Amino acid sequence: MNSTSLRPCLAALVLSLSALFMLPISAASTQAPAVALEWETICETTVCRGTGHDGVLQARLSPDASHAVLTISTPGKRGLYSLDIDTGALNRLGDGHSATWFADGQRLVFVHDNDLHVYKLAEGEALRLTNDDLDVRLPSPSPDGSQILFASGRSGHQDLWLVATDGQSPPRQLTRNAMDIDETRFGHAWSPDGRHVVFTSNQTDFWEDDLWLVTVDSGEARQLSSGFMARGMPAFSPDGTTVAAYGTSKDGFWYLDMADIYLVDLSGGETRIETQVTAMEVDAPAWSADGSELFFIVHERGERDLWRVPANGGVATRVTNTGGVINGFDASANGERFAFVRSTPTRGRELDLIERDGGSVRQATDVSSRWQGLQQPTEISYRARDGLYIQAFKFVPPDFDPNQPYPTVVQVHGGGTNSYYNGLNLVEQRLAQQGYVVLAVNYRGGSGFGRGFQDLAVEDWANTQSLDAADAAHWVRRQGWSNGKVGIYGYSYGGIISLGAVTRDLDAFDAAVPMGGIYDFADAYQNADRLGRLFTREGHRGSPEDNPEAYRRSDSVALLDQVRTPILIMHGEADIRAPFRQFQLVVEALEQHDRVFEAVSYPDQPHQFQNVADRVDMYRRLEGWMHRWLADGER
């Protein structure tokens, strides 16, 4: 780290059937003792931020819904597992991830060592289909099981490829220049007859993501939709005439975590399903077996549940009422059972099940790490200066006494138009155990509170959003349990808000730790990756030349001459989502204006840190900075 102080060769892989299926593990088996919340253990199981952490990362139901194939990642269990849903027996299949069932229910395709493998359950054998140094993602078997569709950047763009399941031929490129090389989040789906594939592409315009249809035999592709920004994974209707996809109208804002469901027929007709809720692009929309219903995830007030709506539009109703955060879901082929990966404030990612008839959700696994002293945060709201009420989740120290004084830290989430989710948030739990009251706020512009609330931040990025965070600090100081000292921290867009708050309300915070943020959007627009530029353009309603006033409002670097709050700023030097130059601009300005600060950068680290030691170092420094300025009374 750098620190400134106060300035196709195909091969068959045969696996032993007995080795694979001996020693079944009960899904409810006794776990290891609960782990203390230390930065080393937290950051080994996660990138140290976000919800869910370790446990079940993905789950897919077998066609008859009697089993599920799970990708599990914990300190004690890693790889692919088969779960017998009736008995709860959990059997390790081997290393790998991203497993998907064939329609016959007897085979799986999965990724291991960045290659595709097909596993035959009855024979206990896995055949490696690719054997190269090139990436493979999102494998999906054709309906007849003869070939595998997968995504890869091996063409120099993000494209779709096909490889035969018999391993007798090399991969064949299906699409051409579907997406830019740095944009890996594009979806695809087979038609039920296996003749076509629908996929997301920006071939028409760098800024626009549309649905395209490619014929598998000829490779001929044509644009299918044009009126909305497609996101996530699409899904064909059972009769193959219609595609359901998440998206937002091109006439509106390209929101994340808040989308409509569109139906697109193969002639290109587009219809937005009329419903009173908005969807979230978690896995593909799930059709009922007869094509009359759609099931999808909805985010409300920091929590995600499964909902249902008629395919021809109408009132949407909630299927689950569990709270917490659904990180992924799947529906059985007959539409009678749903499986989803869910986390809560006191539980990591586990597989939960519910039947189509409804009833209570059943937890089917117990594999995620258990942590000492986890608490259920309290949901509150506080009044902002313009009268809005802002949601926050309050964590308190163990044995909290409201008659005693405590320092407070305000957490501001990343993503901007995303949200702080009420799942397993170990950073905030750790800080609370260290004696802080932690207030995680859902400032304006975030998802889960309706489009009107999100629209408040359009063309006003980092401005009134930052004042929402500042108003949390002022609310805290009016509470009897406050010692008068309040800090703020956040990563990515949370870094943006952290610096934005201390430059727009000079009296709000006693310490700030912005991490991995953008602080001058006009400058970042020139060298961010495609998604970063698209997101910036949408939020400011144009480029810096199109709307200079909006970029002036979001510029925090220009305000650093007046800041009084001690700042610890940290950034990865290989970051292209929030370009590293943003860190450099802030450091230069803080030095020029002789402000109190420390700056730490991490060589070779992208926006999502890959090195565990660097993650640990960053969060140790965060905690140390708060202790210095909030608890020690140095200021």
Side-chain angles (χ1 to χ4, degrees), residues 176-453:
R176 305 286 170 179
N177 304 343
M179 295 290 280
D180 287 73
I181 189 64
D182 60 359
E183 176 55 272
T184 60
R185 303 194 300 180
F186 75 104
H188 59 265
W190 286 97
S191 63
D193 61 9
R195 296 175 57 193
H196 301 96
V197 169
V198 64
F199 64 99
T200 308
S201 176
N202 69 330
Q203 292 182 56
T204 301
D205 191 305
F206 179 85
W207 304 107
E208 298 187 356
D209 295 350
D210 301 305
L211 292 182
W212 285 61
L213 190 74
V214 60
T215 302
V216 172
D217 288 345
S218 67
E220 294 181 3
R222 61 182 176 89
Q223 188 174 351
L224 200 59
S225 71
S226 60
F228 66 93
M229 291 285 288
R231 295 212 307 275
M233 299 294 284
F236 266 95
S237 60
D239 64 5
T241 64
T242 307
V243 175
Y246 301 116
T248 50
S249 171
K250 291 181 181 179
D251 295 333
F253 185 80
W254 187 63
Y255 285 123
L256 300 175
D257 292 4
M258 182 171 278
D260 291 310
I261 297 178
Y262 286 81
L263 299 184
V264 183
D265 61 53
L266 297 196
S267 66
E270 303 171 18
T271 304
R272 182 174 65 87
I273 295 182
E274 296 291 341
T275 178
Q276 81 277 19
V277 296
T278 51
M280 184 174 181
E281 60 275 18
V282 175
D283 286 306
W287 292 85
S288 61
D290 63 1
S292 68
E293 302 171 289
L294 283 162
F295 297 85
F296 56 98
I297 302 302
V298 169
H299 166 219
E300 290 185 309
R301 298 189 61 81
E303 298 185 329
R304 304 178 192 166
D305 272 291
L306 181 66
W307 285 63
R308 172 264 186 197
V309 70
N312 60 0
V315 174
T317 49
R318 192 193 301 246
V319 180
T320 64
N321 298 274
T322 58
V325 179
I326 293 177
N327 300 281
F329 88 105
D330 192 28
S332 61
N334 62 7
E336 294 300 316
R337 172 173 285 167
F338 300 97
F340 41 95
V341 176
R342 188 173 68 96
S343 60
T344 75
T346 58
R347 190 196 81 177
R349 298 180 189 226
E350 302 289 356
L351 180 69
D352 290 343
L353 301 167
I354 193 170
E355 306 305 311
R356 181 172 177 265
D357 282 347
S360 299
V361 167
R362 173 167 68 92
Q363 183 176 333
T365 62
D366 187 11
V367 298
S368 62
S369 296
R370 293 189 301 123
W371 301 91
Q372 293 178 7
L374 296 186
Q375 59 174 296
Q376 184 78 28
T378 301
E379 181 184 358
I380 68 165
S381 292
Y382 62 91
R383 187 177 174 93
R385 63 191 67 191
D386 63 354
L388 266 69
Y389 284 87
I390 305 300
Q391 183 203 44
F393 293 97
K394 185 177 74 169
F395 300 78
V396 298
D399 302 320
F400 173 73
D401 182 350
N403 297 311
Q404 297 298 316
Y406 297 88
T408 301
V409 287
V410 171
Q411 194 273 1
V412 276
H413 65 80
T417 64
N418 302 116
S419 180
Y420 185 87
Y421 292 108
N422 193 28
L424 187 63
N425 293 290
L426 297 183
V427 171
E428 288 69 61
Q429 297 274 7
R430 158 77 186 189
L431 291 173
Q433 290 185 11
Q434 298 306 303
Y436 297 93
V437 174
V438 184
L439 215 62
V441 304
N442 273 322
Y443 49 83
R444 70 191 65 197
S447 58
F449 303 90
R451 282 218 169 89
F453 186 81

Side-chain angles (χ1 to χ4, degrees), residues 460-483:
D460 195 39
W461 273 19
N463 189 28
T464 48
Q465 294 175 306
S466 296
L467 297 180
D468 286 345
D471 287 341
H474 296 312
W475 178 86
V476 164
R477 291 193 180 91
R478 295 193 294 270
Q479 309 310 305
W481 44 259
S482 172
N483 73 346

Side-chain angles (χ1 to χ4, degrees), residues 22 41-42 59 98 152 174 207 219 233 247 253 274 308 415 436 483 486 489 533 542 621 635:
M22 68 187 300
T41 51
I42 293 173
S98 304
S152 177
L174 180 62
W207 304 107
M233 299 294 284
F253 185 80
E274 296 291 341
R308 172 264 186 197
Y436 297 93
N483 73 346
V486 187
Y489 71 95
R533 293 181 67 194
R621 289 174 182 271
R635 186 178 180 186

Side-chain angles (χ1 to χ4, degrees), residues 580-595:
F580 179 59
R581 175 173 159 79
Q582 293 294 299
F583 169 89
Q584 295 171 314
L585 289 174
V586 172
V587 171
E588 290 171 5
L590 290 171
E591 289 177 335
Q592 176 185 348
H593 299 301
D594 197 26
R595 304 293 95 176

Side-chain angles (χ1 to χ4, degrees), residues 499 502-503 556-563 567 585-587 589-590 593 595:
L499 195 69
V502 299
T503 55
S556 295
V557 175
L559 303 175
L560 286 171
D561 60 330
Q562 58 186 5
V563 72
I567 296 169
L585 289 174
V586 172
V587 171
L590 290 171
H593 299 301
R595 304 293 95 176

Side-chain angles (χ1 to χ4, degrees), residues 147-170:
Q147 51 191 336
I148 306 297
L149 178 74
F150 66 95
S152 177
R154 60 187 63 204
S155 67
H157 285 76
Q158 295 299 335
D159 277 306
L160 297 177
W161 294 71
L162 292 166
V163 63
T165 55
D166 61 9
Q168 298 302 306
S169 57

Side-chain angles (χ1 to χ4, degrees), residues 65-85:
S66 65
H67 289 75
V69 61
L70 313 177
T71 301
I72 294 178
S73 179
T74 71
K77 293 183 178 69
R78 293 185 186 276
L80 295 174
Y81 290 76
S82 173
L83 173 69
D84 185 314
I85 290 176

